[in-house]
Amino acid sequence: MSVIKMLSSISRKTFTQLSRTACYSSSTRTVNYEEKPKTAIVMLNMGGPTDTDQVGDYLHRIMTDRDMIQLPIQSKLGPWIANRRTEEVQKKYMEIGGGSPILKWTNSQGQLLVESLDKLHPSTAPHKHYVSFRYVPPFTEDAFLELERDGVERAVIFSQYPQYSCATTGSSLNAIADFYKNRPIPKNIQFSLIERWATHPLLAKVFAERIREKLALFNENEQNDVLILFTAHSLPLKAVSRGDTYPHEVAATVANTMLQLGLPNPHRLVWQSKVGPLPWLQPYTDDAIKAYAKQGIKHLLLVPIAFVNEHIETLHELDIEYCYDVAKEAGIKQIERAATPNAHPTFIEALADLVMKNLDQGHRVSKQFLTRCPHCVSPRCLQSKEFFKHLCSYNEKLKKDTPDVITLNN
Ligand code: FES
């Protein structure tokens, strides 16, 4: 049943319950490693509270992370904003079933990925995935302590944000450098880094498949006219002006997806989830829905193009706030939302292909990552990139000369 058909016949409360059911339909597999893992796949992401008790700490960590967001007198203002927002955000998590499914999805993806790698790349098997979240457990230190304890020989640090931003992947990588601030870098582990993969052809393929699934819900004679609204988390214009690559990487994924889709539908890229009073990348997703309704465009498909699994920005902001509240008020006739890749087989294929190429290639950290934004003034970025140059060094001499401890300023 289409979202709009549901809108006319059900209450927001029932809609919320439907959304909750959809969100928890995934199952998490139990990982049973009988053999000692040889290769670690460290999956980086921001994470989300698995229950409402975690919401306060989660917001506190985000609001005090200067890589993610910069506020005046952050050590005071950050916790104050986190405290003020906790109750309201807890309510939103209650509306999607009591917590974020991001850990469940990351574990499902990780488990399917390592099973695939064991078959396709036996020379580095057994593989094991480690979840490294930035704002909720399991944290960076949990993942790295575990892989050190497991005695792995190889470790692929793999950002689960396909499009690189200094605020997201950059923050997760700085957290790894922070972790090794006061402890020796394990020289017996060969580390490598996948920090961006916005243009991987299988990523475009899975998004195209997700779009086709939802276009099929529109009347056949309307399908080619549905406006496809690609939506991604916005970014402060200050970060864009510094030279953050995120906007053009998101646009590259959009262009590849449309190419892969091969349909004549019109499309636009819009931005969601802005916080605070400062200017961010526009047009905002909700404003775009309202503006198109005024232009007489009443059939829309929202495609979250920068999220690889469902979480609050898709299940609440898109499904409940935009596809229900905003669309209903604007008079949209039909609006659908494409699913995120989640555990789609094409997506697992994409992850496996990226890791295999990384394991086989000669360089372990890209020049693109080692180059800072033109207007970067952060000493953390400078030191973090220096840290990864050494951590992922292929050159034994450089590795040998690496100081045991590299300090990262706050
Ligand atoms: Fe982008 Fe420092 S802000 S490298």
Side-chain angles (χ1 to χ4, degrees), residues 13 88 198 206 286:
K13 190 166 170 240
E88 169 204 338
V206 74
D286 49 347

Side-chain angles (χ1 to χ4, degrees), residues 31-316:
V31 182
N32 180 17
Y33 296 103
E34 285 160 12
E35 280 181 88
K36 175 177 158 339
K38 189 171 175 182
T39 303
I41 316 296
V42 187
M43 302 174 80
L44 310 182
N45 213 331
M46 66 185 298
T50 46
D51 59 51
T52 50
D53 290 345
Q54 286 186 349
V55 170
D57 280 354
Y58 166 75
L59 292 177
H60 185 280
R61 287 194 180 93
I62 291 180
M63 299 312 295
T64 53
D65 176 11
R66 285 191 68 75
D67 298 326
M68 165 62 87
I69 191 163
Q70 279 129 37
L71 301 167
I73 47 164
Q74 191 144 4
S75 58
K76 291 200 168 53
L77 191 55
W80 183 80
I81 296 173
N83 287 342
R84 263 178 65 105
R85 294 205 57 212
T86 297
E87 204 181 313
E88 169 204 338
V89 176
Q90 279 174 327
K91 274 191 200 141
K92 292 187 177 184
Y93 278 103
M94 285 309 294
E95 289 193 276
I96 62 162
S100 167
I102 188 169
L103 179 59
K104 287 184 184 187
W105 280 121
T106 309
N107 272 325
S108 296
Q109 290 160 340
Q111 177 60 17
L112 292 167
L113 167 64
V114 296
E115 282 169 13
S116 171
L117 288 171
D118 284 351
K119 282 191 207 117
L120 298 171
H121 208 268
S123 62
T124 47
H127 305 83
K128 177 179 172 182
H129 81 278
Y130 301 75
V131 177
S132 171
F133 281 162
R134 187 69 184 90
Y135 307 115
V136 290
F139 293 117
T140 308
E141 54 268 35
D142 301 318
F144 280 79
L145 283 173
E146 192 180 338
L147 70 86
E148 282 190 25
R149 262 196 316 267
D150 286 345
V152 300
E153 297 168 24
R154 243 344 226 107
V156 179
I157 300 167
F158 189 4
S159 174
Q160 296 303 294
Y161 304 98
Q163 302 93 2
Y164 186 91
S165 168
C166 299
T168 53
T169 300
S171 173
S172 288
L173 296 176
N174 288 352
I176 298 171
D178 279 337
F179 171 68
Y180 281 113
K181 206 155 51 170
N182 298 313
R183 53 185 289 120
I185 294 167
K187 292 185 180 176
N188 52 338
I189 303 176
Q190 294 182 351
F191 286 94
S192 58
L193 174 62
I194 304 171
E195 88 284 1
R196 71 190 78 218
W197 38 289
T199 55
H200 194 283
L202 290 175
L203 181 68
K205 193 172 171 203
V206 74
F207 280 126
E209 286 172 24
R210 289 305 199 199
I211 291 171
R212 277 191 210 99
E213 286 168 7
K214 289 299 159 87
L215 278 179
L217 300 178
F218 291 85
N219 280 340
E220 219 168 304
N221 58 354
E222 284 161 353
Q223 281 177 14
N224 283 349
D225 296 320
V226 172
L227 179 75
I228 302 174
L229 271 188
F230 291 96
T231 173
H233 202 295
S234 191
L235 193 68
L237 286 187
K238 226 171 152 184
V240 179
S241 302
R242 269 200 304 268
D244 197 296
T245 56
Y246 175 77
H248 81 246
E249 293 193 23
V250 175
T253 311
V254 169
N256 275 5
T257 301
M258 286 308 295
L259 209 58
Q260 181 69 238
L261 192 61
L263 293 174
N265 295 66
H267 70 279
R268 285 294 186 279
L269 171 57
V270 294
W271 307 91
Q272 65 179 97
S273 317
K274 173 199 190 281
V275 283
L278 294 174
W280 288 45
L281 266 178
Q282 295 192 49
Y284 301 130
T285 308
D286 49 347
D287 290 346
I289 295 170
K290 291 178 208 162
Y292 277 128
K294 278 194 190 141
Q295 289 182 21
I297 296 173
K298 302 286 175 79
H299 296 88
L300 297 173
L301 171 55
L302 298 186
V303 183
I305 194 72
F307 300 116
V308 298
N309 37 40
E310 306 293 350
H311 54 304
I312 196 152
E313 284 86 350
T314 56
L315 296 169
H316 199 283

